[in-house]
Amino acid sequence: MILPMKLLLLTMEFPPQFGGVAEYYGRLVEHWPNREEAIVVLQPADALAKKRFFKWPFIHRALNRAIREKNIDLILVGQILPLGMSAYLYFLLNRLPYAVFLHGLDFSLARRNVWKRFLSKLILRSAAAIICTNNFTAQAVKDAGLGSESKVFVVHPAALLNWEASPGFSAADLPFSRPEKKVLLSIGRLVPRKGFDRVLSALPLVFKQAPDLLYILIGAGPDQFRLEKIRSRLPADCQEKIYFRGAVSTAEKNYWLKNSDIFIMPSREEKVLGIKDFEGFGIVYLEANLAGLPVIGVQSGGVGEAIKSGESGLLLPDDRPKTIARAILDLYHSPEKRALFGRQGRERARNDFNWPGQAVKLKLILEKIFAAHQTIGCK
């Protein structure tokens, strides 16, 4: 019999902070299946904010105090660096097991130079488990020789749409008239790897065969100026069908998810300051599926795990404008396919990517670690 575990999540990101990583941890804690095992969350914010260098001693002090006060059995590390080093040092001194979460870019950053590669190697090889949010990152860890099949696990993010969050938004609230037209929708942070520039480049080809289509882009970010410049170079009749909505309320986001016809985000791998940046998973594809939309993406990073090509949408082999245009027009001209992909995608998102299910999956992984540690401790 496995006794209730006392878990501590050591993380720099957690609600009410925004972002996919913060939501991932927040939802897992919220949906943890055993209330007797409520997860203690430790955010050493003061140490991280005030100390630019030599943060480990201050983080370690906060960790040590929390473990003693809460009688913790297992540490969950939210960020491999710098937090993983504190869990590693505590393990060396006290043999308390820990598991490390990896999302994608964090692993790339941890391999950025010789010193970080050395530290990440120490941390991951001593970890009881490595929990990745996608198979792409899990395979990268195994290829680097930092974790075996029995040690590396995948617990995907899940999708959740709160339709009741901000009711009342309607077309009357839009600053432009929206006649009865079909809508191509994109939602995401405006950075190059999201591929919105490729969508804009494909639209002149699309609009020739889909004159009643609008393109709505929701999101903000450093790439906005470049994207607006690309739009300004398109023919005038194309520009008037493209709307940049910026950062919007939950109510408006939900409005477009409910009232669009196709979702697209052709993410790609990009090198930023010499670091490979990629879409670790793409929870927004599942959100669009939950809203009943067929989705379009490109085979890159973990996108192939979020989109099941031919079932929930289309997974493209490349992000050339012609390839993207063909995919959009394929769905535009086939309402039956749109409806089928939307229906199948919704069922897949509900059944395979829900937070209670992912929390149970993580709990089973951690129970194995805890049981093994108890067995070793009894010898």
Side-chain angles (χ1 to χ4, degrees):
M1 178 181 177
I2 298 175
L3 298 174
M5 297 177 288
K6 296 177 182 177
L7 306 171
L8 183 143
L9 172 62
L10 180 64
T11 179
M12 296 186 292
E13 299 178 69
F14 197 80
Q17 290 173 294
F18 292 104
V21 173
E23 179 168 1
Y24 180 80
Y25 296 139
R27 295 297 183 187
L28 287 175
V29 170
E30 177 187 350
H31 292 279
W32 198 247
N34 188 346
R35 290 303 171 188
E36 294 180 13
E37 297 177 347
I39 300 174
V40 176
V41 179
L42 175 62
Q43 285 182 280
D46 290 341
L48 291 168
K50 296 177 182 178
K51 303 293 178 181
R52 185 176 178 185
F53 302 106
F54 305 112
K55 297 177 180 180
W56 296 338
F58 299 93
I59 298 171
H60 190 73
R61 185 184 304 164
L63 177 64
N64 189 55
R65 183 168 56 249
I67 290 171
R68 288 200 317 269
E69 291 176 355
K70 303 296 183 179
N71 197 23
I72 297 299
D73 297 308
L74 181 65
I75 303 170
L76 306 177
V77 180
Q79 288 78 27
I80 182 172
L81 292 175
L83 302 186
M85 201 62 203
S86 290
Y88 169 72
L89 292 174
Y90 199 92
F91 169 75
L92 290 183
L93 295 172
N94 302 281
R95 312 312 292 178
L96 187 69
Y98 65 91
V100 179
F101 285 99
L102 292 175
H103 300 266
L105 180 59
D106 51 353
F107 182 62
S108 296
L109 291 171
R111 309 282 292 163
R112 188 173 185 177
N113 57 46
V114 174
W115 176 238
K116 288 187 175 182
R117 283 196 296 273
F118 172 72
L119 294 180
S120 61
K121 181 177 179 180
L122 290 178
I123 294 165
L124 293 179
R125 286 194 169 174
S126 294
I130 301 167
I131 315 295
C132 301
T133 59
N134 56 82
N135 287 303
F136 186 82
T137 301
Q139 190 59 52
V141 171
K142 288 182 273 191
D143 290 345
L146 298 174
S148 62
E149 289 285 345
S150 62
K151 183 175 173 176
V152 180
F153 304 90
V154 175
V155 178
H156 289 111
L160 181 67
L161 285 180
N162 184 5
W163 296 117
E164 309 303 323
S166 304
F169 191 92
S170 69
D173 299 306
L174 294 173
F176 57 88
S177 173
R178 186 206 156 182
E180 290 302 315
K181 289 182 179 289
K182 291 185 174 64
V183 174
L184 175 68
L185 176 67
S186 291
I187 301 173
R189 180 166 161 75
L190 303 188
V191 292
R193 73 169 172 84
K194 295 293 184 180
F196 300 134
D197 53 348
R198 301 293 199 269
V199 179
L200 291 172
S201 298
L203 288 179
L205 298 171
V206 172
F207 289 149
K208 286 180 182 178
Q209 297 185 48
D212 65 338
L213 188 69
L214 297 178
Y215 178 51
I216 305 296
L217 175 57
I218 291 175
D223 206 30
Q224 182 167 340
F225 178 77
R226 187 177 71 91
L227 293 173
E228 289 177 344
K229 202 164 186 178
I230 293 172
R231 178 177 61 175
S232 70
R233 293 176 183 149
L234 299 178
D237 60 336
C238 290
Q239 292 183 44
E240 64 187 20
K241 298 177 182 179
I242 300 169
Y243 296 91
F244 288 8
R245 300 296 299 140
V248 303
S249 65
T250 300
E252 183 173 344
K253 175 185 170 183
N254 288 350
Y255 169 83
W256 287 114
L257 284 169
K258 281 183 175 179
N259 293 279
S260 296
D261 299 274
I262 303 167
F263 178 86
I264 185 166
M265 188 173 76
S267 295
R268 61 179 182 262
E269 291 185 13
E270 284 272 329
K271 277 205 170 183
V272 180
L273 299 176
I275 300 298
K276 184 188 291 185
D277 190 12
F278 56 87
E279 196 72 46
F281 183 71
I283 195 68
V284 70
Y285 298 113
L286 296 182
E287 290 179 340
N289 277 155
L290 275 179
L293 299 182
V295 298
I296 300 173
V298 173
Q299 182 65 64
S300 170
V303 175
E305 298 167 56
I307 301 175
K308 193 163 186 180
S309 194
E311 180 177 321
S312 66
L314 299 175
L315 191 63
L316 310 182
D318 61 75
D319 64 349
R320 292 179 299 169
K322 285 185 178 180
T323 304
I324 291 172
R326 279 197 298 269
I328 295 170
L329 290 170
D330 178 17
L331 293 178
Y332 171 85
H333 288 302
S334 179
E336 297 84 5
K337 187 181 288 187
R338 292 201 307 271
L340 178 63
F341 286 176
R343 185 169 61 252
Q344 292 176 161
R346 180 188 285 125
E347 288 304 306
R348 178 172 177 263
R350 284 176 175 171
N351 295 334
D352 299 344
F353 298 97
N354 60 80
W355 284 115
Q358 298 308 91
V360 168
K361 185 176 182 180
L362 177 60
K363 184 176 185 295
L364 292 174
I365 293 168
L366 299 181
E367 281 180 346
K368 289 182 181 179
I369 298 171
F370 185 49
H373 180 66
Q374 283 185 313
T375 301
I376 293 171
C378 291
K379 289 183 179 179

